[in-house]
Amino acid sequence: MLPKELIQFKELKKTITVLTAWDSISSSIVEEAGADVVLVGDSLAMFIHGHSTTLPITLDQMLSHTQAVGRGFKKSIEKQPLVVCDLPFLSYQCGEDKAVSAAGTLLKNSCASAVKLEGAEKEILSVINRLIRMGIPVMGHLGLTPQSVKNLGYKRQAEDKKSQDKLIAQAIQLEKAGCFSLVLEHVPEKLSLQLKETLKIPVIGIGAGKHCDGQVRVTADLLGLTDKQPPFTKPLLNGKDLFTSALKSWVKNEQF
Ligand code: KIV
């Protein structure tokens, strides 16, 4: 599937499902589960690498994880989910050339068909413009943008009218710049509904209520594998406890 085909999902009112994956095991599970899109999110910096923020992850690490994700798919290429990879912190904030090189490296050497990057400041819009003109599809990301944690924290964004108006204006600019979809993280439900109705591109929410065109979740959060559960993701199972007790019983020689 081409990234821009996600716009047809919106036109057909078909909810888009996006799950993160970080290696070949997680991607085979997420593919089998039937997700439309696999996001190799830079949240893997926290979940896999144990960092306290997404900031330390490098382009090389994101590339290596995306390659592993590609190796996990079992379906024929045309039936595989669309793969989007996060551009890591400082791979696109330092100018257009560096961003094209980073995004191009991911698309050239892995199964990724598109990149996601955060924000819509003037400089970021220029970068997005250039990437798209160079043939690199871009997914936008507004609201809680974890790469700005040192400025915004992890709290819910766009709580007041002024910041809601700003976010709406930024989302319209991202659509004009050519983004094929927009991730909206941890914002009021009313705002995501308004954006869904305003934009032609799909709005894919996380902690943004149920009215979005699609939903994205960090798979590790859904499976209950993380120590710090975000307030907006209810785990589907208590994965960490299940795995631990199964392994405990093996260690106690109960299951040889
Ligand atoms: O890195 C990530 O997993 C993400 C999702 C939270 C959307 O960007």
Side-chain angles (χ1 to χ4, degrees):
M1 171 171 55
L2 292 175
K4 64 181 181 197
E5 284 171 13
L6 281 189
I7 297 170
Q8 289 160 17
F9 279 55
K10 176 165 183 151
E11 289 162 1
L12 297 169
K13 297 193 183 338
K14 182 180 177 308
T15 303
I16 299 162
T17 52
V18 186
L19 285 170
T20 66
W22 52 90
D23 62 10
S24 58
I25 293 181
S26 57
S27 68
S28 71
I29 295 171
V30 162
E31 179 192 48
E32 189 59 32
D36 300 308
V37 181
V38 167
L39 172 67
V40 187
D42 60 358
S43 57
L44 65 81
M46 300 165 82
F47 172 62
I48 296 296
H49 290 263
H51 295 296
S52 58
T53 72
T54 59
L55 303 188
I57 206 75
T58 66
L59 182 66
D60 282 351
Q61 287 170 315
M62 290 304 291
L63 175 60
S64 168
H65 282 286
T66 312
Q67 289 169 332
V69 162
R71 287 181 211 115
F73 292 139
K74 301 287 178 291
K75 297 184 179 168
S76 58
I77 188 109
E78 64 284 354
K79 293 201 173 127
Q80 287 173 15
L82 175 75
V83 177
V84 180
C85 180
D86 265 341
L87 278 179
F89 184 56
L90 289 194
S91 68
Y92 62 96
Q93 288 91 343
C94 305
E96 296 175 27
D97 288 349
K98 206 171 164 202
V100 172
S101 168
T105 299
L106 292 171
L107 263 58
K108 189 171 163 170
N109 299 299
S110 78
C111 59
S113 295
V115 294
K116 173 165 81 58
L117 51 87
E118 298 179 7
E121 303 310 324
K122 177 164 79 37
E123 297 82 355
I124 301 293
L125 288 169
S126 308
V127 162
I128 291 175
N129 241 296
R130 173 88 175 275
L131 289 173
I132 291 168
R133 280 192 294 115
M134 294 303 109
I136 299 171
V138 178
M139 176 183 265
H141 185 157
L142 293 176
L144 197 173
T145 45
Q147 291 180 15
S148 303
V149 61
K150 304 219 169 176
N151 196 24
L152 304 176
Y154 286 122
K155 64 180 183 12
R156 198 158 87 134
Q157 299 297 306
E159 298 274 30
D160 58 84
K161 170 94 173 71
K162 193 171 162 214
S163 45
Q164 289 174 1
D165 288 348
K166 181 175 170 200
L167 196 147
I168 291 168
Q170 287 185 324
I172 292 170
Q173 283 180 311
L174 287 176
E175 177 169 275
K176 277 195 185 137
C179 288
F180 68 88
S181 59
L182 171 68
V183 165
L184 201 53
E185 180 165 355
H186 209 12
V187 297
E189 188 166 74
K190 215 176 84 198
L191 177 64
S192 57
L193 177 60
Q194 190 178 349
L195 270 174
K196 173 197 160 156
E197 285 168 352
T198 306
L199 300 180
K200 288 198 178 62
I201 57 170
V203 173
I204 301 174
I206 174 164
K210 54 182 183 300
H211 299 298
C212 301
D213 301 299
Q215 295 288 337
V216 51
R217 294 293 182 274
V218 175
T219 300
D221 292 335
L222 279 182
L223 296 180
L225 297 174
T226 41
D227 289 327
K228 277 190 198 146
Q229 195 72 23
F232 45 77
T233 303
K234 208 167 150 242
L236 301 170
L237 68 156
N238 200 338
K240 194 164 182 185
D241 285 356
L242 285 173
F243 288 169
T244 310
S245 64
L247 293 175
K248 260 187 188 159
S249 85
W250 185 87
V251 168
K252 283 187 194 146
N253 302 355
E254 285 167 10
Q255 290 187 22
F256 286 162

